[in-house]
Amino acid sequence: MSADQSLPAPAGVEDQSDDASIRERLNSLLSEHSQSEIARKTGSLVASVNRYVHGARIPAAFCAALVRGLNVNPSWLLVGEGAPSLADVPADTAKLGGNLLALVEAMSAVARMRLGSLTGKHHLKVLRELNDALVAHERLREKLNEQSRPLFAEMLRDLQAALDKRDLARAGELRKAVEQLSRLCDDEDLERDFYRVQAYHEFQLKNSSRFLQLQRKLFLRSLPNDNLFDERACDEARRLVVALVQMNRLHEALQVCRATRNLAGKAGRRWAAFARLENTHGVILVELGHLYKGMALVQRSLPRLTGMYRKVSEAALAKQMLWAGLVRLEDAMAMSERNDAKAEHFLQTACWLSEPRLLEATLAYAEARDVEPVWRDGFFPRYARSLLKQLTHPGSEEAAAFEAAMQASPKTAPRDEGDWVRLGASVAHLYLAAGLREHALAQTLEVDRRLKSMDPEVNPEPLAAATHYRCVLALMSSPTDARQKGMIQQARRFFTRYIRGGYAILESALKS
């Protein structure tokens, strides 16, 4: 059968690859090959090539002839991926592309069958041809799966490495390629790893809802068939907890955390994943106002943590010691190795204390060359610089400039009401530090509105809420209406609760 004979499009090709897109790529070949050359090398009629170029349906046989006659990359021709020429494609990928073409041809053979002919006298022959085409289809699918598996695994490792280096631009491009390759690979373990890496990517992008969605799927896939719960399931549950924490849904996170610890049982306490879960449990308790109880869990789990988990946990423990009044900020900065996770916590504490010398010291710490990159969102360095400027050279423009900068950056733009409270309270604090009480009051009333409309399951960060309530007490010493009186009562309840829970750093707010 010649390449220009009109055949039905293979099942799925016309829908998935889009005939118009294939025609566009065929037209691009005309920049290097004339229609007569394409016809000669594909065994087609020039008139047929002209019809394909100008809108006629492009048969699978002609696509196969293009691959063989002009050395065209079938992946590029069919789906627009990779280089146009097989000469520019790595050997493994070229082999995979050849198999993809064979699979398309097998599917074309299936599409040519007319099930109505099964009632005719040649039905046995048709059935054999149909069976042979389907067997070839399945055999090639298995071969594609076998050949794509090592490529899929390698690209997943590359994607993980890019994320570990915080190279989000490269990670984004790699993820697109891995998504395409995943369609050719039927491997449950690799598919689960891909979910995990995608979730990690969304976490770094601060796409909390998507992160949570992927983690839920990953957790369900991690549940084993033979046992109710194992270490892998424990770690995926912890990641689900982290997703909820990132969205400031602390009570839900606490419930999942407790349930996971119960599922793990006594045997699970030996798992490294359990130590990470226990550490996260402690952090949640601290955020909810149970400082000493949470610190005990963080300290107990810390010796069993390694790598980034340990560094982030050490930074969290340093912050908790500062909040408990167990160490001075100057001493905390002098202890142990430096990293940017600690810098974030030290800057946050310095912003609360609002002393120019401490702000200068923590900014110097954060900007030192020997500070190891671990985890930084970029909010507190800018907040600290703006606050230092307001305390030393007050002005009316700095707070607005800070707010605009935070909203413009993908790393610091508010994702939910909890983040809006942090930003709004910080802006009010900047106005108050400059003595601009009217601006500070307007901003504080807006934060109060957001707090009242917030989902009850969402909890703003303790020091963000504390910053807001300190502004309330400073600005409303003589309340003018029932709303302000209610805000003052709420502020005092907040400080009383957290101070009783161990937050000694907040005591100054009630004394001022």
Side-chain angles (χ1 to χ4, degrees):
M1 181 178 291
S2 65
D4 61 314
Q5 286 182 272
S6 181
L7 299 175
V13 169
E14 194 167 25
D15 293 332
Q16 295 175 8
S17 300
D18 187 356
D19 202 54
S21 298
I22 296 177
R23 180 173 296 103
E24 182 180 344
R25 290 186 281 276
L26 173 60
N27 274 286
S28 72
L29 291 175
L30 292 173
S31 63
E32 299 180 8
H33 309 279
S34 65
Q35 289 190 17
S36 59
E37 181 186 2
I38 291 176
R40 178 170 51 82
K41 290 188 175 182
T42 59
S44 307
L45 299 174
V46 175
S48 298
V49 175
N50 187 61
R51 286 202 309 273
Y52 305 150
V53 169
H54 290 92
R57 190 176 61 181
I58 302 173
F62 179 70
C63 292
L66 282 173
V67 171
R68 296 191 180 97
L70 277 76
N71 203 34
V72 171
N73 176 7
S75 295
W76 172 80
L77 179 63
L78 295 173
V79 292
E81 295 174 5
S85 173
L86 280 174
D88 299 324
V89 177
D92 287 345
T93 308
K95 186 177 180 182
L96 197 62
N99 286 334
L100 177 62
L101 175 64
L103 177 58
V104 170
E105 289 181 313
M107 293 171 68
S108 180
V110 174
R112 289 198 301 272
M113 303 299 177
R114 292 292 180 266
L115 294 183
S117 67
L118 295 179
T119 60
K121 62 181 180 179
H122 300 299
H123 65 281
L124 292 179
K125 180 176 180 293
V126 173
L127 281 173
R128 283 195 298 270
E129 290 177 352
L130 177 60
N131 181 66
D132 289 345
L134 289 172
V135 168
H137 177 182
E138 183 63 25
R139 190 185 305 119
L140 284 165
R141 192 178 69 83
E142 291 175 358
K143 193 172 182 180
L144 279 170
N145 182 52
E146 181 182 345
Q147 292 182 350
S148 65
R149 189 178 295 116
L151 294 174
F152 190 19
E154 182 179 357
M155 292 187 72
L156 272 178
R157 288 192 293 270
D158 290 344
L159 177 54
Q160 181 69 53
L163 291 172
D164 289 340
K165 294 177 182 178
R166 305 291 192 270
D167 189 349
L168 295 182
R170 175 172 169 75
E173 294 303 316
L174 279 169
R175 181 171 168 182
K176 292 177 184 177
V178 176
E179 283 175 347
Q180 297 296 329
L181 190 56
S182 68
R183 300 171 185 174
L184 299 177
C185 184
D186 184 17
D187 185 295
E188 186 176 347
D189 289 338
L190 287 176
E191 187 177 7
R192 185 170 53 247
D193 288 343
F194 187 32
Y195 270 116
R196 181 179 295 108
V197 175
Q198 288 181 94
Y200 185 35
H201 189 202
E202 297 295 345
F203 178 77
Q204 290 200 4
L205 292 172
K206 297 187 181 296
N207 295 333
S208 302
S209 297
R210 180 61 178 154
F211 174 35
L212 182 59
Q213 182 184 33
L214 287 167
Q215 277 303 138
R216 282 174 174 155
K217 290 182 179 180
L218 191 55
F219 174 60
L220 293 174
R221 286 173 176 265
S222 69
L223 291 174
N225 294 324
D226 50 347
N227 299 311
L228 178 62
F229 210 69
D230 62 6
E231 183 169 12
R232 184 179 64 190
C234 179
D235 207 34
E236 297 306 343
R238 182 196 63 82
R239 292 172 184 265
L240 182 60
V241 170
V242 171
L244 290 166
V245 171
Q246 189 185 41
M247 297 176 70
N248 296 312
R249 304 184 75 88
L250 299 181
H251 291 291
E252 290 178 71
L254 185 61
Q255 291 174 358
V256 176
C257 205
R258 286 171 172 166
T260 304
R261 293 185 69 183
N262 289 334
L263 283 171
K266 291 183 179 179
R269 297 180 184 276
R270 298 190 298 268
W271 301 335
F274 188 89
R276 294 192 288 270
L277 177 70
E278 187 174 60
N279 191 270
T280 304
H281 189 177
V283 169
I284 295 170
L285 289 175
V286 168
E287 294 289 306
L288 289 173
H290 309 290
L291 182 54
Y292 293 132
K293 188 175 181 180
M295 280 180 64
L297 286 179
V298 171
Q299 288 175 306
R300 188 168 73 188
S301 60
L302 183 58
R304 298 178 58 195
L305 301 180
T306 59
M308 187 184 73
Y309 294 111
R310 186 181 182 93
K311 292 173 182 177
V312 171
S313 182
E314 287 175 344
L317 184 59
K319 174 181 72 173
Q320 292 156 15
M321 293 175 67
L322 284 167
W323 290 357
L326 300 177
V327 63
R328 296 189 312 153
L329 183 54
E330 300 94 320
D331 297 331
M333 286 191 288
M335 292 189 300
S336 69
E337 60 184 14
R338 297 168 176 244
N339 61 55
D340 62 5
K342 289 181 180 177
E344 288 287 320
H345 298 321
F346 295 158
L347 286 164
Q348 184 184 27
T349 303
C351 288
W352 169 260
L353 296 173
S354 299
E355 296 181 23
R357 65 179 183 84
L358 293 179
L359 289 165
E360 290 174 350
T362 51
L363 283 168
Y365 176 102
E367 295 165 0
R369 291 185 177 181
D370 61 344
V371 171
E372 180 186 4
V374 174
W375 194 264
R376 172 180 290 183
D377 68 6
F379 183 90
F380 289 106
R382 177 62 191 262
Y383 179 24
R385 282 192 291 271
S386 294
L387 182 56
L388 179 61
K389 186 174 180 179
Q390 290 293 70
L391 291 170
T392 55
H393 300 87
S396 60
E397 299 179 356
E398 184 61 33
F402 166 75
E403 183 176 17
M406 293 300 96
Q407 293 191 31
S409 171
K411 290 185 177 181
T412 56
R415 305 179 304 268
D416 52 38
E417 287 298 296
D419 287 350
W420 278 109
V421 168
R422 180 177 75 165
L423 177 58
S426 301
V427 171
H429 184 203
L430 292 175
Y431 280 127
L432 187 60
L436 302 170
R437 296 179 67 86
E438 289 187 7
H439 289 78
L441 179 59
Q443 188 69 32
T444 299
L445 291 172
E446 173 60 20
V447 174
D448 177 70
R449 185 191 66 78
R450 286 188 176 273
L451 277 170
K452 284 182 168 58
S453 63
M454 185 182 295
D455 185 335
E457 293 296 330
V458 175
N459 298 82
E461 297 173 24
L463 255 62
T467 299
H468 166 66
Y469 289 125
R470 182 169 62 178
C471 289
V472 168
L473 295 180
L475 293 165
M476 301 176 187
S477 55
S478 301
T480 59
D481 54 33
R483 179 186 178 184
Q484 291 191 8
K485 289 179 181 178
M487 291 171 66
I488 291 172
Q489 292 174 356
Q490 191 173 11
R492 294 191 178 278
R493 283 197 298 269
F494 171 85
F495 284 119
T496 299
R497 174 172 169 254
Y498 272 80
I499 291 169
R500 286 176 178 172
Y503 278 70
I505 194 174
L506 303 182
E507 290 177 354
S508 59
L510 288 180
K511 295 177 182 178
S512 60

